[in-house]
Amino acid sequence: MPVFNMAGCRTDCVEKPFSIGFQKFGRFVGRHPWWFFICPLVISTALGTGFYFLEDMEANNIEDQFTPVNGPAKLERKFVEENFPLNNSVYSNQRLYTMGEFASFIAVSRDPNIFTDGAIKEILRLDKKVREIKLSRGHEQLTYEGLCARKSNKCIPNKILDIMNHYGSNIDQTELTFPFFRFGFTTIFLGYSVGGVNVSSSVIKSAKAIRLFYCLKEGNRSTTDLWLNEFLKVFPSNQSLNFITVTHSTSLSRQVEFEANTRDVIPLFSITYVIAIVFSIVSCLRFDCVRNKVWVATFGVLSAGLAVLSAFGMMLHIGVPFVMTVANSPFLILGIGVDDMFILISCWQQTNVHARVEDRLADTYKEAAISITITTLTDVLAFYIGLMTPFRSVQSFCLYTSTAILFCFLYSITFFGAFLVLNGRRENSNKHWLTCKEVPEDCPVGRSKWYDLCCVGGAYDRHTGAEEVQPMNQFFKKHYGPFLVKPWTKVCVILLYAVYLSISIYGCFQIQEGIDLRNLAADDSYVNRYYDDEKAYFYEYGPNIMVIIRGEFAYWEEKNMLDLESCVEDFKNLSFIEKDIFTSWLKSYKYYGHHTNLNLSVENVFKTNLSSFLRSYSDFKQDVNFTNNSIRASRFFIQTVNITTALDEMNMLNNLRDTARRCSVPLLVYHPVFIYHDQYAVIVSNTVQNISVTTAVMLLISLLLIPNPLCCLWVTFSIASVIVGVTGFMALWDVNLDTISMIILVVCIGFSVDFSAHISYAFVSNKKPTANEKAVEALFHLGYPILQGALSTILGVIVLSASKNYIFRTFFKIMFLVIFFGLFHGITFIPVFLTFFDFCSSNAGNVSPQEKRALENQAMTNCQPKNIQEKAIDHDKQIYDNHTFLPDNQQLFPTQPCPSVWTLTVNTHHTQSGQMCMASTVPMFRVDSQTYEVQMYTASNDAVTVNCNQNLGSGEHHCVIGNNQPPVLQECNAPVINCSDSADPVP
């Protein structure tokens, strides 16, 4: 693979002082651990008192939280409310500017046709039970008759019941026309009452369902709520019904069921917390009773819990509304906190176990500071940018979550860091993790393996002084890392990424927009069963839309009338508009004028006769704001059809508004449901805006804190790639782009940075000479912590998949995609892509590291005495592994030129240092395991051997002289020279 070398491209002007600052802070925490351990506990307790105000701060009004603030429909509703006030004495459902107060049930026939004698009798019996509902409030008796919406001093009837009562058992033989039926002197619209119809020449041959509405008066919410709750008790089950099944709902049901969802999440969080603790303990478990990190893992999870307690309590004290979406936040915070814990533990384990605990914590903070700071800043800023969205539910979620992430970071470097120090003191005393009694480092002779496992501990790497490397870290270094950097593996990774990207882009074009309001209730809610029947049998006729003429308009002028009629035709020509269902006061007024010989093209005649016309037609009186002899506004109605999906709703709203905008007459369109449909107008633009701004901010933070500009571009690439993947696959997983998924897409950015920043920073920070070695080393140090963090986050949200609520399940689905794709980028895609560009390496010499290792291995294997035991071989390898060769320009022997001089540094406890003069830049030598002689081989068939039989702990310097000929392996019988007799030590 080609490698582009860009030495000297580090930009650590921010990163270096930041690391030093954290190092000093870590030392300070290490010296005063109890203060930093106790203070977070006290702060959390004080702030946690804010939960006392939780009930007062709950804000779960669906319209307020899940619709855009200052959305167009809210402004339109305000205009309608001001110009067309409600008249409770002349109730008209289509003229309401709200959804109204009502109860409803749908009766579905068990047979193909509901117009049978048995089904009709059961429907009439249910209707009677509803009308007979009575309840007391103090001395007041509440009945349907007293609360119902009225017209002509009568409760609004269900016309289909009048028809069934009139025809009785002969109704199945009556020719009922659909959707309009002439009943007496009136024409009844059956589109909302009869569903699942089978029609032949406009005559109903069979119908599957009947829907009844019970409308209540507006403006008396406290009493109507009592009646509506009593209504729900009428339908406990369908067991007593033989011919029909019934589903029911009220105008309150959606809101009540939505608020009930908060009870669903409380036990789930308890389960999640237990899972997080168990996973953290298991992943940090050691078979060393001293180095065991059980308590460290437990207190790491406790740190995240304290962060949630403090942040939520503080927000409740301040008065920030608590929306149900915020209940998702603790699951997320738990994952983030445990992720930071794993990074800190990983860095702690790489420090010297014999160093003072404050120095160990200082070194831990120095190494981990940038990684956890980058992830914290990116997550927090991503959520704060989410405050720009016009949805209050998103704003509340972002405020609570960003504050909790800040507390999580603060407690990680104070409370958790302090506990690392306290635990480190126990380890330094070689005390048991459970009993806190001192245990031996080595197993006494004669003791069992169980005793060795349970009562012996304190092992560490004798060469590095750090804790022993865990098996999973070794897996990343010895197996996964080398496998990943093989050329053919890289080709497979690139192909895999191409497949991933292709599927993701395809999925992005399949995305659906908007939240289905039925999803706000639990899956097993009676509301959803009602919505299912409604969608199955009453999908044909949608909302009846108001088209409003704003401001004063000269209705009597011929040109204006032509313009208005042209606009009306434009509306009727829309594919989802029923042309034959059109309600207009102006059309009726013209008909009235024609039959009364009125010249309505004259302003005075038009205005003078309008009042008498409106008195005769009380419904139309609500459609004209005729004040002070001036028409300030008026409206007509058009009927929509076949609006079944979120896409249909979005297209309907956009096309209606576009048609009104194109009209030369000042028009606006409105229906109460548009309040909820407004999300379609802003959801995509706001999501793109948030993602763009957040990505730009993430890039800036990465540029400041990651000491390599081009690596920051890889971080940005990772963000874009994960966002495309999550968006595409969530569409294929039946998740819409709505307020819930928009929140998680913002989270997606922060987590994308988490994984890519960790691995990119580790890549550019290590000193390995080649890109492949850098990638392997980065995976060695951070592959396992990243994997732990990802698994902990997934485990933190996996219980939400069992929730009965759409919001929590959606949160799980998208978080799973974010973590899975982020992890795959972090430990697969990004390491491979980074190897293509070795940004910050410098030339290590004329001989490639691969050639150097090959020659060294050859020398080690070809010059071994036959009688060396297996233990001696291992010891030789340890001595060899701990030698590093550095060029030295000093001359050991003035009388003999030495073109290549190397310094041999020995890091074991046997020798301190040594020097050798080599004929080649690649030394070839043998270390005798018993005499510790270092023998060098040259082409002249003589080798100079250093006799190392002196005092190995005295710090003597030893050297080897050779010539410039190419090295050739010889037999190990070279003469021995004591360098201490022929040369002064070289410092």
Side-chain angles (χ1 to χ4, degrees), residues 160 246 342 418 426 728 854:
I160 187 64
V246 178
F342 288 134
R426 177 190 60 78

Side-chain angles (χ1 to χ4, degrees), residues 157-316:
N158 283 289
K159 295 291 187 180
I160 187 64
L161 293 180
D162 295 338
I163 295 172
M164 290 191 295
N165 278 321
H166 179 77
Y167 291 103
S169 58
N170 296 322
I171 192 171
D172 57 337
Q173 302 171 8
T174 305
E175 289 192 348
L176 295 176
T177 55
F178 189 85
F180 290 101
F181 176 65
R182 186 74 178 178
F183 184 56
F185 297 102
T186 62
T187 300
I188 299 175
F189 179 66
L190 299 179
Y192 293 145
S193 302
V194 183
V197 295
N198 179 17
V199 179
S200 176
S201 300
S202 299
V203 176
I204 298 176
K205 295 301 181 181
S206 66
K208 189 67 177 174
I210 288 177
R211 177 169 57 178
L212 304 182
F213 288 96
Y214 300 90
C215 301
L216 306 179
K217 286 184 291 190
E218 297 282 316
N220 196 7
R221 185 71 178 270
S222 59
T223 54
T224 56
D225 287 358
L226 292 173
W227 190 91
L228 291 173
N229 288 327
E230 197 68 23
F231 168 85
L232 298 177
K233 300 176 183 179
V234 174
F235 306 95
S237 69
N238 291 314
Q239 295 178 359
S240 60
L241 301 174
N242 299 317
F243 299 97
I244 60 174
T245 60
V246 178
T247 55
H248 59 285
S249 180
T250 72
S251 53
L252 289 179
S253 294
R254 183 189 295 154
Q255 181 67 45
V256 172
E257 291 296 290
F258 174 67
E259 292 174 355
N261 287 327
T262 53
R263 296 191 296 268
D264 180 34
V265 77
I266 294 174
L268 294 180
F269 183 69
S270 303
I271 296 171
T272 298
Y273 208 79
V274 172
I275 290 175
I277 292 176
V278 171
F279 172 78
S280 301
I281 289 175
V282 170
S283 61
C284 293
L285 196 64
R286 307 287 183 267
F287 291 113
D288 188 306
C289 65
V290 173
R291 307 292 175 196
N292 207 326
K293 297 294 187 293
V294 169
W295 292 118
V296 172
T298 303
F299 277 83
V301 178
L302 176 61
S303 176
L306 292 177
V308 173
L309 180 66
S310 300
F312 281 33
M314 188 177 79
M315 291 292 101
L316 291 169

